[in-house]
PDB file of all heavy atoms in Angstrom:
ATOM      1  N   ASP A 527     -28.672   7.390 -15.138  1.00 72.00           N
ATOM      2  CA  ASP A 527     -29.740   7.927 -14.290  1.00 72.00           C
ATOM      3  C   ASP A 527     -30.624   8.901 -15.068  1.00 72.00           C
ATOM      4  O   ASP A 527     -31.856   8.893 -14.925  1.00 72.00           O
ATOM      5  CB  ASP A 527     -29.146   8.632 -13.068  1.00 72.00           C
ATOM      6  CG  ASP A 527     -28.435   7.654 -12.144  1.00 72.00           C
ATOM      7  OD1 ASP A 527     -28.897   6.513 -12.040  1.00 72.00           O
ATOM      8  OD2 ASP A 527     -27.422   8.046 -11.544  1.00 72.00           O
ATOM      9  N   ARG A 528     -30.019   9.723 -15.908  1.00 76.00           N
ATOM     10  CA  ARG A 528     -30.808  10.658 -16.720  1.00 76.00           C
ATOM     11  C   ARG A 528     -31.665   9.901 -17.738  1.00 76.00           C
ATOM     12  O   ARG A 528     -32.816  10.287 -17.999  1.00 76.00           O
ATOM     13  CB  ARG A 528     -29.878  11.642 -17.429  1.00 76.00           C
ATOM     14  CG  ARG A 528     -29.229  12.659 -16.506  1.00 76.00           C
ATOM     15  CD  ARG A 528     -28.581  13.781 -17.304  1.00 76.00           C
ATOM     16  NE  ARG A 528     -27.461  13.288 -18.094  1.00 76.00           N
ATOM     17  CZ  ARG A 528     -26.200  13.267 -17.648  1.00 76.00           C
ATOM     18  NH1 ARG A 528     -25.922  13.682 -16.419  1.00 76.00           N
ATOM     19  NH2 ARG A 528     -25.223  12.819 -18.413  1.00 76.00           N
ATOM     20  N   ASP A 529     -31.113   8.793 -18.289  1.00 75.00           N
ATOM     21  CA  ASP A 529     -31.901   7.991 -19.228  1.00 75.00           C
ATOM     22  C   ASP A 529     -33.117   7.376 -18.545  1.00 75.00           C
ATOM     23  O   ASP A 529     -34.228   7.373 -19.108  1.00 75.00           O
ATOM     24  CB  ASP A 529     -31.025   6.890 -19.831  1.00 75.00           C
ATOM     25  CG  ASP A 529     -29.912   7.446 -20.706  1.00 75.00           C
ATOM     26  OD1 ASP A 529     -30.050   8.599 -21.167  1.00 75.00           O
ATOM     27  OD2 ASP A 529     -28.912   6.731 -20.922  1.00 75.00           O
ATOM     28  N   TYR A 530     -32.919   6.854 -17.333  1.00 73.00           N
ATOM     29  CA  TYR A 530     -34.037   6.258 -16.603  1.00 73.00           C
ATOM     30  C   TYR A 530     -35.111   7.314 -16.291  1.00 73.00           C
ATOM     31  O   TYR A 530     -36.309   7.037 -16.392  1.00 73.00           O
ATOM     32  CB  TYR A 530     -33.545   5.628 -15.301  1.00 73.00           C
ATOM     33  CG  TYR A 530     -32.981   4.236 -15.456  1.00 73.00           C
ATOM     34  CD1 TYR A 530     -31.772   3.889 -14.864  1.00 73.00           C
ATOM     35  CD2 TYR A 530     -33.660   3.266 -16.170  1.00 73.00           C
ATOM     36  CE1 TYR A 530     -31.246   2.610 -15.006  1.00 73.00           C
ATOM     37  CE2 TYR A 530     -33.146   1.979 -16.313  1.00 73.00           C
ATOM     38  CZ  TYR A 530     -31.945   1.661 -15.733  1.00 73.00           C
ATOM     39  OH  TYR A 530     -31.430   0.405 -15.871  1.00 73.00           O
ATOM     40  N   GLU A 531     -34.690   8.501 -15.915  1.00 75.00           N
ATOM     41  CA  GLU A 531     -35.659   9.546 -15.572  1.00 75.00           C
ATOM     42  C   GLU A 531     -36.446   9.978 -16.802  1.00 75.00           C
ATOM     43  O   GLU A 531     -37.672  10.187 -16.748  1.00 75.00           O
ATOM     44  CB  GLU A 531     -34.932  10.740 -14.946  1.00 75.00           C
ATOM     45  CG  GLU A 531     -35.831  11.914 -14.571  1.00 75.00           C
ATOM     46  CD  GLU A 531     -36.886  11.531 -13.551  1.00 75.00           C
ATOM     47  OE1 GLU A 531     -36.739  10.488 -12.884  1.00 75.00           O
ATOM     48  OE2 GLU A 531     -37.873  12.286 -13.423  1.00 75.00           O
ATOM     49  N   THR A 532     -35.767  10.110 -17.950  1.00 79.00           N
ATOM     50  CA  THR A 532     -36.473  10.462 -19.190  1.00 79.00           C
ATOM     51  C   THR A 532     -37.478   9.380 -19.576  1.00 79.00           C
ATOM     52  O   THR A 532     -38.621   9.672 -19.971  1.00 79.00           O
ATOM     53  CB  THR A 532     -35.458  10.667 -20.318  1.00 79.00           C
ATOM     54  OG1 THR A 532     -34.530  11.685 -19.945  1.00 79.00           O
ATOM     55  CG2 THR A 532     -36.158  11.077 -21.608  1.00 79.00           C
ATOM     56  N   LEU A 533     -37.056   8.102 -19.454  1.00 76.00           N
ATOM     57  CA  LEU A 533     -37.969   7.009 -19.759  1.00 76.00           C
ATOM     58  C   LEU A 533     -39.154   6.984 -18.805  1.00 76.00           C
ATOM     59  O   LEU A 533     -40.296   6.699 -19.207  1.00 76.00           O
ATOM     60  CB  LEU A 533     -37.220   5.671 -19.687  1.00 76.00           C
ATOM     61  CG  LEU A 533     -36.347   5.309 -20.890  1.00 76.00           C
ATOM     62  CD1 LEU A 533     -35.557   4.042 -20.597  1.00 76.00           C
ATOM     63  CD2 LEU A 533     -37.196   5.112 -22.123  1.00 76.00           C
ATOM     64  N   ARG A 534     -38.918   7.258 -17.538  1.00 74.00           N
ATOM     65  CA  ARG A 534     -40.007   7.245 -16.561  1.00 74.00           C
ATOM     66  C   ARG A 534     -41.084   8.257 -16.927  1.00 74.00           C
ATOM     67  O   ARG A 534     -42.284   7.963 -16.900  1.00 74.00           O
ATOM     68  CB  ARG A 534     -39.453   7.541 -15.154  1.00 74.00           C
ATOM     69  CG  ARG A 534     -40.474   7.425 -14.030  1.00 74.00           C
ATOM     70  CD  ARG A 534     -39.869   7.876 -12.715  1.00 74.00           C
ATOM     71  NE  ARG A 534     -39.642   9.314 -12.725  1.00 74.00           N
ATOM     72  CZ  ARG A 534     -40.585  10.215 -12.431  1.00 74.00           C
ATOM     73  NH1 ARG A 534     -41.808   9.842 -12.109  1.00 74.00           N
ATOM     74  NH2 ARG A 534     -40.304  11.500 -12.445  1.00 74.00           N
ATOM     75  N   ILE A 535     -40.655   9.450 -17.317  1.00 75.00           N
ATOM     76  CA  ILE A 535     -41.627  10.495 -17.672  1.00 75.00           C
ATOM     77  C   ILE A 535     -42.359  10.129 -18.953  1.00 75.00           C
ATOM     78  O   ILE A 535     -43.597  10.246 -19.050  1.00 75.00           O
ATOM     79  CB  ILE A 535     -40.905  11.849 -17.808  1.00 75.00           C
ATOM     80  CG1 ILE A 535     -40.289  12.257 -16.451  1.00 75.00           C
ATOM     81  CG2 ILE A 535     -41.861  12.918 -18.321  1.00 75.00           C
ATOM     82  CD1 ILE A 535     -39.414  13.472 -16.531  1.00 75.00           C
ATOM     83  N   ASP A 536     -41.623   9.664 -19.971  1.00 75.00           N
ATOM     84  CA  ASP A 536     -42.254   9.317 -21.248  1.00 75.00           C
ATOM     85  C   ASP A 536     -43.165   8.102 -21.115  1.00 75.00           C
ATOM     86  O   ASP A 536     -44.230   8.046 -21.758  1.00 75.00           O
ATOM     87  CB  ASP A 536     -41.182   9.050 -22.304  1.00 75.00           C
ATOM     88  CG  ASP A 536     -40.391  10.308 -22.644  1.00 75.00           C
ATOM     89  OD1 ASP A 536     -40.886  11.415 -22.341  1.00 75.00           O
ATOM     90  OD2 ASP A 536     -39.274  10.176 -23.193  1.00 75.00           O
ATOM     91  N   MET A 537     -42.774   7.117 -20.312  1.00 77.00           N
ATOM     92  CA  MET A 537     -43.597   5.918 -20.160  1.00 77.00           C
ATOM     93  C   MET A 537     -44.904   6.217 -19.433  1.00 77.00           C
ATOM     94  O   MET A 537     -45.913   5.549 -19.672  1.00 77.00           O
ATOM     95  CB  MET A 537     -42.816   4.841 -19.415  1.00 77.00           C
ATOM     96  CG  MET A 537     -41.667   4.236 -20.214  1.00 77.00           C
ATOM     97  SD  MET A 537     -42.186   3.434 -21.732  1.00 77.00           S
ATOM     98  CE  MET A 537     -43.043   2.016 -21.082  1.00 77.00           C
ATOM     99  N   GLN A 538     -44.920   7.199 -18.547  1.00 75.00           N
ATOM    100  CA  GLN A 538     -46.174   7.582 -17.895  1.00 75.00           C
ATOM    101  C   GLN A 538     -47.183   8.075 -18.918  1.00 75.00           C
ATOM    102  O   GLN A 538     -48.370   7.733 -18.874  1.00 75.00           O
ATOM    103  CB  GLN A 538     -45.912   8.650 -16.831  1.00 75.00           C
ATOM    104  CG  GLN A 538     -45.253   8.112 -15.563  1.00 75.00           C
ATOM    105  CD  GLN A 538     -45.026   9.191 -14.526  1.00 75.00           C
ATOM    106  OE1 GLN A 538     -45.178  10.388 -14.818  1.00 75.00           O
ATOM    107  NE2 GLN A 538     -44.666   8.798 -13.320  1.00 75.00           N
ATOM    108  N   THR A 539     -46.716   8.871 -19.873  1.00 77.00           N
ATOM    109  CA  THR A 539     -47.606   9.340 -20.928  1.00 77.00           C
ATOM    110  C   THR A 539     -48.071   8.187 -21.796  1.00 77.00           C
ATOM    111  O   THR A 539     -49.259   8.089 -22.159  1.00 77.00           O
ATOM    112  CB  THR A 539     -46.888  10.397 -21.779  1.00 77.00           C
ATOM    113  OG1 THR A 539     -46.419  11.457 -20.940  1.00 77.00           O
ATOM    114  CG2 THR A 539     -47.817  10.965 -22.837  1.00 77.00           C
ATOM    115  N   LEU A 540     -47.150   7.273 -22.155  1.00 76.00           N
ATOM    116  CA  LEU A 540     -47.519   6.126 -22.991  1.00 76.00           C
ATOM    117  C   LEU A 540     -48.517   5.228 -22.272  1.00 76.00           C
ATOM    118  O   LEU A 540     -49.502   4.771 -22.879  1.00 76.00           O
ATOM    119  CB  LEU A 540     -46.262   5.349 -23.356  1.00 76.00           C
ATOM    120  CG  LEU A 540     -46.467   4.071 -24.183  1.00 76.00           C
ATOM    121  CD1 LEU A 540     -47.107   4.414 -25.538  1.00 76.00           C
ATOM    122  CD2 LEU A 540     -45.154   3.337 -24.387  1.00 76.00           C
ATOM    123  N   PHE A 541     -48.312   4.963 -20.992  1.00 75.00           N
ATOM    124  CA  PHE A 541     -49.239   4.116 -20.242  1.00 75.00           C
ATOM    125  C   PHE A 541     -50.621   4.764 -20.169  1.00 75.00           C
ATOM    126  O   PHE A 541     -51.653   4.084 -20.242  1.00 75.00           O
ATOM    127  CB  PHE A 541     -48.703   3.867 -18.825  1.00 75.00           C
ATOM    128  CG  PHE A 541     -47.703   2.741 -18.754  1.00 75.00           C
ATOM    129  CD1 PHE A 541     -46.941   2.395 -19.847  1.00 75.00           C
ATOM    130  CD2 PHE A 541     -47.531   2.030 -17.569  1.00 75.00           C
ATOM    131  CE1 PHE A 541     -46.026   1.373 -19.788  1.00 75.00           C
ATOM    132  CE2 PHE A 541     -46.619   0.993 -17.501  1.00 75.00           C
ATOM    133  CZ  PHE A 541     -45.857   0.665 -18.614  1.00 75.00           C
ATOM    134  N   HIS A 542     -50.653   6.073 -20.043  1.00 72.00           N
ATOM    135  CA  HIS A 542     -51.937   6.780 -19.984  1.00 72.00           C
ATOM    136  C   HIS A 542     -52.673   6.658 -21.306  1.00 72.00           C
ATOM    137  O   HIS A 542     -53.892   6.413 -21.352  1.00 72.00           O
ATOM    138  CB  HIS A 542     -51.709   8.247 -19.622  1.00 72.00           C
ATOM    139  CG  HIS A 542     -52.977   9.046 -19.536  1.00 72.00           C
ATOM    140  ND1 HIS A 542     -53.513   9.715 -20.630  1.00 72.00           N
ATOM    141  CD2 HIS A 542     -53.819   9.268 -18.487  1.00 72.00           C
ATOM    142  CE1 HIS A 542     -54.626  10.323 -20.269  1.00 72.00           C
ATOM    143  NE2 HIS A 542     -54.836  10.078 -18.960  1.00 72.00           N
ATOM    144  N   ASP A 543     -51.949   6.786 -22.420  1.00 76.00           N
ATOM    145  CA  ASP A 543     -52.582   6.679 -23.738  1.00 76.00           C
ATOM    146  C   ASP A 543     -53.049   5.254 -24.021  1.00 76.00           C
ATOM    147  O   ASP A 543     -54.062   5.054 -24.719  1.00 76.00           O
ATOM    148  CB  ASP A 543     -51.603   7.118 -24.833  1.00 76.00           C
ATOM    149  CG  ASP A 543     -51.269   8.608 -24.730  1.00 76.00           C
ATOM    150  OD1 ASP A 543     -52.053   9.346 -24.095  1.00 76.00           O
ATOM    151  OD2 ASP A 543     -50.213   9.017 -25.264  1.00 76.00           O
ATOM    152  N   LEU A 544     -52.346   4.253 -23.499  1.00 73.00           N
ATOM    153  CA  LEU A 544     -52.728   2.865 -23.724  1.00 73.00           C
ATOM    154  C   LEU A 544     -53.746   2.354 -22.714  1.00 73.00           C
ATOM    155  O   LEU A 544     -54.217   1.217 -22.829  1.00 73.00           O
ATOM    156  CB  LEU A 544     -51.489   1.959 -23.692  1.00 73.00           C
ATOM    157  CG  LEU A 544     -50.443   2.193 -24.795  1.00 73.00           C
ATOM    158  CD1 LEU A 544     -49.246   1.301 -24.586  1.00 73.00           C
ATOM    159  CD2 LEU A 544     -51.053   1.935 -26.170  1.00 73.00           C
ATOM    160  N   GLY A 545     -54.033   3.170 -21.704  1.00 75.00           N
ATOM    161  CA  GLY A 545     -55.010   2.767 -20.706  1.00 75.00           C
ATOM    162  C   GLY A 545     -54.483   1.799 -19.686  1.00 75.00           C
ATOM    163  O   GLY A 545     -55.227   0.971 -19.166  1.00 75.00           O
TER     164      GLY A 545
END
Side-chain angles (χ1 to χ4, degrees):
D527 294 326
R528 289 193 294 269
D529 294 339
Y530 277 133
E531 179 61 18
T532 302
L533 281 174
R534 186 186 69 84
I535 297 172
D536 294 342
M537 290 299 290
Q538 286 181 349
T539 304
L540 177 62
F541 277 26
H542 180 270
D543 294 340
L544 296 176

